[in-house]
Amino acid sequence: MLAIYKTLLTMGAKKEDAEDIVQETAIQFIQYINGISPNEASAWLYKVAIHKYYDLIKKSQAQQKYVISFRLEDLLEVGTPETIVLQQELQWEIAAQLSTLSDKEAQLILLKYSADLSLKDIATLFGTTDKTVKTQLARAKNKLKQRLQEVYNGRKIDF
């Protein structure tokens, strides 16, 4: 449930809202546990939590696109102060560029690389095949990579 909580925070949920959604999702899971396949339990939990977050956004009638962020420093080793500043700058730029992608593209990237879900789990979330998810994820990743390269004047961006 901690991974779902972190995913909700990454999607822009407030700490309190994420906690409430995780709790509601856990309660709903307990209610429907007999009807959920053990192989699909993780995907089911993510799907329910994400839908609850969307419902929360709709209820609050927030027209703003939610802020997508993640901790780049979780992926990189800590180094010199200059490295830390550059990493923070890159993290902000990635978040800014993620917010220019469609919601689905950003979600695919976050679910795969931040929440570390498998293609099969993501496919279950979106009600599609893992092959389709793989294709859509590759396109979203390339689009993000292109936008980052534009920002950094064509410098090669690897991830």
Side-chain angles (χ1 to χ4, degrees), residues 35-92:
I36 301 168
S37 164
N39 296 336
E40 297 179 354
S42 177
W44 186 92
L45 288 166
Y46 273 97
K47 186 174 188 174
V48 169
I50 289 170
H51 283 290
K52 286 186 178 296
Y53 178 59
Y54 289 153
D55 290 344
L56 179 67
I57 290 173
K58 288 175 188 174
K59 284 180 186 175
S60 66
Q61 298 178 346
Q63 297 299 320
Q64 293 178 328
K65 201 173 196 176
Y66 51 86
V67 177
I68 302 172
S69 63
F70 60 95
R71 296 176 46 88
L72 183 63
E73 57 268 13
D74 290 344
L75 305 174
L76 303 172
E77 290 184 30
V78 177
T80 65
E82 294 83 9
T83 306
I84 293 170
V85 170
L86 290 174
Q87 289 172 354
Q88 287 177 337
E89 180 182 313
L90 180 58
Q91 178 184 349
W92 293 328

Side-chain angles (χ1 to χ4, degrees), residues 1-2 11 24 37 42 45 57 61 68 70 76-77 80 86 98 106-108 118 120 122 124-125 147 152:
M1 294 305 274
L2 181 61
M11 293 176 69
E24 291 170 16
S37 164
S42 177
L45 288 166
I57 290 173
Q61 298 178 346
I68 302 172
F70 60 95
L76 303 172
E77 290 184 30
T80 65
L86 290 174
L98 271 172
Q107 288 171 16
L108 287 169
S118 69
K120 185 177 179 179
I122 296 171
T124 302
L125 276 172
R147 291 186 180 173
Y152 289 100

Side-chain angles (χ1 to χ4, degrees), residues 18-34:
E19 290 169 353
D20 290 344
I21 291 170
V22 167
Q23 184 176 7
E24 291 170 16
T25 302
I27 291 168
Q28 193 169 349
F29 180 75
I30 292 168
Q31 290 173 339
Y32 295 103
I33 196 164
N34 293 332

